[in-house]
Amino acid sequence: MTTTPFRIFTKRLFILFTIGVVFLFLLACANAFLHPERWWFFALLGLAFPFLLLFTVVLFFFWAFFRSRWVFVPFAALLIGFTNIRALIGFHFGKKFRTEKTSETIRILTWNVNRFTDESADGQSGYRKDLLQIVKREEPDVICFQEYLEPNPQAGLSIITKNLEEMGYGSRFVVTDYSRTNGTYHVGVAIFSRHPFIDSLRIRFQGPRTLRAAESLIACDITVHGKTIRIYTTHLQSVLLQKKDYRDLDIIRNAKDSMVEASRSILRKLKQGYSLRGDQVDLVRQELDRSPYPAIVCGDFNDVPNSYTYFQIKGDWNDAFVEKGSGMGRTFANLSPTLRIDYVMADKRFEVLQYKRQVISYSEHYPILVDFQLP
């Protein structure tokens, strides 16, 4: 059968498209090993990783259908990127989270509560009651909060903290990372526990406070059933998108006239966020390596699963979602369905028993529950 010029042109076009997609896919995979302060462009490609993965898979089946040797190009790329793919997708479908716990289980709840949507001092606004209902129903042993709000510390403990204390969380470690100059509220990270604390520590990130880059990594040592473990939590550098930035993203999506300027604004914020977060990540990894006890780290890392942030903090630890989760595990309600940016990880002495992400309508971050078997 004679090959027409059109068929030759079409095939060459698909070959070039395949090479281009695979090249970008592999660059996105390389993002996991490149420090974002120096290689921030690769970190941006990491955001597109799920979509590049989808294109690569489609191209694999496309070339397989035509029985072309070009099938080996996307196939090789998928093999090379398997570690990144494994971090993205959980394969434990159809497993229901059991509320009951055994005596050797410790249940962790982590949640970026985003100031309870600016909860007032008397608890009349925000979603305090909804949060407490989740805590009451799920009965976690340890709760880790990011962007935890104390509305008016000068007046004593907030009603939120008092409610948690009444529910049995008598041990708490709450730090202030930033506050209003008039002192009307303080925001930071916090750990609440049903079990007593033996010790605690705080490491402050050395970034500009104006960019909310001076947040903290905190940890508490807890004795559970005669065994001492360490729980870390942190809130890593955010991109700090404001209402104007969301409007800029809408401009980009709709290809409006001011798209170029809107893109520059978003890129500046992304580059700034990646650079600051990269240094924080290195500090967190160093501290995790120093832990004298079996340890768990959780929090809002503000980065996706194929990022330098993810792989540097994870190291050889277990990601609870990968071990027991399913799907893509989105934890952030805005922007994209691919954003899993909240994590629970534990060193290999822990066994991950079950994982639960609770999708709720009133919070931009979803709470995560994980049951661990004590080492």
Side-chain angles (χ1 to χ4, degrees):
M1 185 173 63
T2 305
T3 303
T4 65
F6 177 75
R7 289 189 63 185
I8 295 173
F9 172 78
T10 303
K11 183 177 180 179
R12 288 177 178 175
L13 190 64
F14 271 102
I15 289 172
L16 288 174
F17 181 72
T18 300
I19 293 172
V21 168
V22 166
F23 178 70
L24 291 175
F25 174 79
L26 293 175
L27 288 182
C29 291
N31 163 51
F33 313 102
L34 301 174
H35 197 288
E37 183 177 11
R38 297 181 294 275
W39 304 96
W40 63 273
F41 176 74
F42 290 88
L44 292 179
L45 268 180
L47 294 174
F49 178 79
F51 307 102
L52 291 170
L53 171 61
L54 177 62
F55 277 123
T56 304
V57 170
V58 169
L59 287 168
F60 168 77
F61 284 108
F62 172 81
W63 290 114
F65 177 80
F66 287 104
R67 298 181 181 180
S68 169
R69 65 180 183 274
W70 283 97
V71 72
F72 292 105
V73 175
F75 178 71
L78 293 171
L79 284 180
I80 294 170
F82 178 77
T83 303
N84 299 67
I85 297 168
R86 188 69 188 90
L88 179 69
I89 303 170
F91 295 96
H92 302 273
F93 295 93
K95 293 188 178 181
K96 187 176 180 181
F97 191 89
R98 301 180 307 278
T99 304
E100 301 79 16
K101 296 180 293 181
T102 68
S103 60
E104 293 298 310
T105 299
I106 181 167
R107 179 167 295 171
I108 307 292
L109 166 65
T110 184
W111 192 356
N112 181 332
V113 289
N114 191 25
R115 304 183 304 276
F116 308 104
T117 318
D118 292 325
E119 179 88 27
S120 63
D122 59 5
Q124 295 303 308
S125 63
Y127 46 86
R128 175 183 62 88
K129 292 181 179 178
D130 300 293
L131 176 146
L132 293 172
Q133 190 62 35
I134 288 176
V135 172
K136 184 177 180 180
R137 182 178 66 249
E138 304 294 352
E139 297 184 331
D141 298 289
V142 180
I143 307 171
C144 297
F145 288 126
Q146 302 84 45
E147 295 196 73
Y148 183 80
L149 172 70
E150 286 283 2
N152 189 7
Q154 293 84 352
L157 294 177
S158 69
I159 190 170
I160 308 159
T161 304
K162 288 178 180 177
N163 287 155
L164 289 170
E165 192 174 62
E166 291 168 359
M167 295 171 65
Y169 298 93
S171 299
R172 65 178 179 272
F173 184 31
V174 182
V175 302
T176 298
D177 288 329
Y178 52 94
S179 61
R180 281 184 179 160
T181 53
N182 60 7
T184 53
Y185 75 64
H186 291 198
V187 177
V189 285
I191 299 176
F192 289 81
S193 173
R194 294 183 182 273
H195 304 280
F197 294 158
I198 299 173
D199 202 355
S200 62
L201 67 86
R202 178 191 188 186
I203 296 176
R204 193 76 180 267
F205 300 136
Q206 300 302 308
R209 297 193 179 197
T210 54
L211 298 177
R212 296 184 185 176
E215 299 192 73
S216 300
L217 168 71
I218 65 172
C220 292
D221 297 335
I222 304 169
T223 298
V224 184
H225 308 307
K227 301 170 184 176
T228 302
I229 63 173
R230 176 167 288 185
I231 308 292
Y232 292 93
T233 193
T234 190
H235 181 239
L236 299 181
Q237 180 65 39
S238 170
V239 181
L240 299 177
L241 295 181
Q242 306 297 323
K243 289 183 178 179
K244 175 187 176 299
D245 300 306
Y246 285 107
R247 288 195 296 270
D248 285 344
L249 286 169
D250 184 62
I251 288 171
I252 295 169
R253 275 194 291 261
N254 292 291
K256 296 179 181 177
D257 293 340
S258 51
M259 185 176 69
V260 173
E261 183 55 40
S263 300
R264 287 175 180 169
S265 174
I266 297 297
L267 283 174
R268 279 194 297 268
K269 288 207 166 188
L270 288 169
K271 181 180 178 182
Q272 172 186 276
Y274 281 122
S275 177
L276 291 168
R277 187 162 55 248
D279 293 334
Q280 294 172 359
V281 166
D282 294 340
L283 190 59
V284 171
R285 183 67 258 170
Q286 291 170 17
E287 182 53 41
L288 297 182
D289 290 338
R290 294 191 187 107
S291 175
Y293 307 113
I296 296 168
V297 61
C298 57
D300 177 3
F301 296 174
N302 271 307
D303 220 332
V304 291
N306 70 304
S307 62
Y308 176 86
T309 297
Y310 175 87
F311 281 100
Q312 183 74 354
I313 293 180
K314 180 180 178 297
D316 63 350
W317 287 21
N318 287 327
D319 176 355
F321 169 79
V322 172
E323 296 298 313
K324 294 295 179 180
S326 60
M328 298 189 69
R330 176 186 191 176
T331 65
F332 186 65
N334 295 330
L335 298 178
S336 170
T338 64
L339 293 181
R340 180 165 73 96
I341 61 176
D342 303 270
Y343 302 90
V344 181
M345 299 176 180
D347 74 39
K348 290 187 178 294
R349 286 172 284 184
F350 289 93
E351 179 186 356
V352 183
L353 299 178
Q354 52 181 353
Y355 175 98
K356 179 181 180 180
R357 173 201 59 145
Q358 187 156 340
V359 178
I360 51 180
S361 60
Y362 49 82
S363 171
E364 66 178 10
H365 286 262
Y366 301 146
I368 296 171
L369 278 160
V370 181
D371 280 0
F372 291 99
Q373 179 81 26
L374 289 169

